[in-house]
Amino acid sequence: MRGRGVPAALPASALLPAHAAFGTPAYGTAVLPVDPVVAQRTGRMHHVPTLVGSTHDEATLFAALIFPQPIPTQAYRQTLQGLYEPQDVDAVLARYPADGNGDVRDELARIMTDQSWACTVHDTRRELGRHQRVSGYEFADATVPVLFPDLPPFPGGYKAYHASELLMLFDFPGVTLTPAQRKVSDYMVAAWGRFARTGDPGWRADVQSLAPDAIGPTDFARDHQCGFWATV
């Protein structure tokens, strides 16, 4: 490197178009010879029990960063027109109507959660489940403490945001759980430990919902409208 100039830093706007190229693991190597998507669909992998889950409101955290300013209800259609093909906008609006709070970022977060997170997780469970035992979970505590500092207000709150289940599995300085949340934490730590030992977390449901005073089966695909998103 001696004698070479240091390349100038590029602005984020110049890097964002290339971001998607690095959103999935590199494959075609001795470590990962097959595209993980192909492996998942065809069973070209080690057949071991798998625990696959998500949070109920994955995208609230990202919606707040992507849309830092409130989006008024009258701009909802225009915003969706920038995200979807014209023939799909009316169908999305019908499935996710504005709730009347004057800021549609929470609707956008629901859309992003369902299409980009929940239904892809659902597909992963189905595809892996053809080849091995899969246990599903959804962390759904809408009152979980917000771990990340200095987040701006978000309509309806952040609820069970991305990675919020980690607060149930690990101790974080300055985070205090309610007695009801502590029960969920104890349940999850026991289930994760049992899964590590035996490959079985201890529930029979396809997807176990995890929330204070509400631990039990959930109709995940219906809740997140995965049948609809399979057509868009």
Side-chain angles (χ1 to χ4, degrees), residues 45-50 125 127-134:
M45 56 197 169
H46 294 294
H47 294 176
V48 297
T50 309
R125 279 193 287 258
E127 290 176 352
L128 291 177
R130 298 190 186 111
H131 312 289
Q132 60 209 52
R133 176 176 179 163
V134 175

Side-chain angles (χ1 to χ4, degrees), residues 40 51-54 118 120-130 132 134-138 206-207 220-221:
Q40 179 175 291
L51 184 64
V52 181
S54 55
T120 55
V121 167
H122 176 64
D123 289 342
T124 295
R125 279 193 287 258
R126 287 193 306 168
E127 290 176 352
L128 291 177
R130 298 190 186 111
Q132 60 209 52
V134 175
S135 300
Y137 75 88
E138 179 177 60
D206 289 338
V207 181
F220 185 92

Side-chain angles (χ1 to χ4, degrees), residues 33-228:
V34 181
D35 181 347
V37 174
V38 174
Q40 179 175 291
R41 290 174 179 169
T42 61
R44 293 179 62 185
M45 56 197 169
H46 294 294
H47 294 176
V48 297
T50 309
L51 184 64
V52 181
S54 55
T55 66
H56 188 273
D57 309 284
E58 289 276 0
T60 52
L61 187 65
F62 302 101
L65 300 174
I66 296 169
F67 306 107
Q69 300 301 320
I71 300 175
T73 304
Q74 57 267 32
Y76 191 17
R77 175 180 288 274
Q78 180 181 358
T79 304
L80 291 177
Q81 287 170 340
L83 299 172
Y84 295 99
E85 297 295 328
Q87 66 270 18
D88 295 325
V89 171
D90 284 338
V92 174
L93 279 169
R95 290 276 179 165
Y96 298 86
D99 61 13
N101 66 6
D103 183 351
V104 297
R105 289 181 299 163
D106 49 342
E107 284 78 19
L108 292 169
R110 286 182 55 222
I111 291 169
M112 293 165 61
T113 291
D114 291 357
Q115 182 185 23
S116 299
W117 292 88
C119 295
T120 55
V121 167
H122 176 64
D123 289 342
T124 295
R125 279 193 287 258
R126 287 193 306 168
E127 290 176 352
L128 291 177
R130 298 190 186 111
H131 312 289
Q132 60 209 52
R133 176 176 179 163
V134 175
S135 300
Y137 75 88
E138 179 177 60
F139 182 67
D141 182 0
T143 64
V144 66
V146 176
L147 178 61
F148 305 101
D150 303 322
L151 285 175
F154 191 78
Y158 287 90
K159 300 180 179 177
Y161 57 91
H162 177 68
S164 56
E165 76 269 43
L166 297 180
L167 292 166
M168 302 295 112
L169 297 169
F170 303 97
D171 292 326
F172 287 85
V175 174
T176 301
L177 303 179
T178 67
Q181 289 170 336
R182 177 56 63 186
K183 290 181 181 179
V184 177
S185 174
D186 291 343
Y187 178 91
M188 290 177 62
V189 169
W192 265 239
R194 175 174 173 171
F195 177 80
R197 292 192 308 273
T198 68
D200 178 4
W203 58 75
R204 300 278 74 82
D206 289 338
V207 181
Q208 185 84 326
S209 181
L210 304 166
D213 303 317
I215 295 175
T218 184
D219 192 340
F220 185 92
R222 180 178 180 181
D223 182 29
H224 293 286
Q225 307 200 54
C226 295
F228 167 72

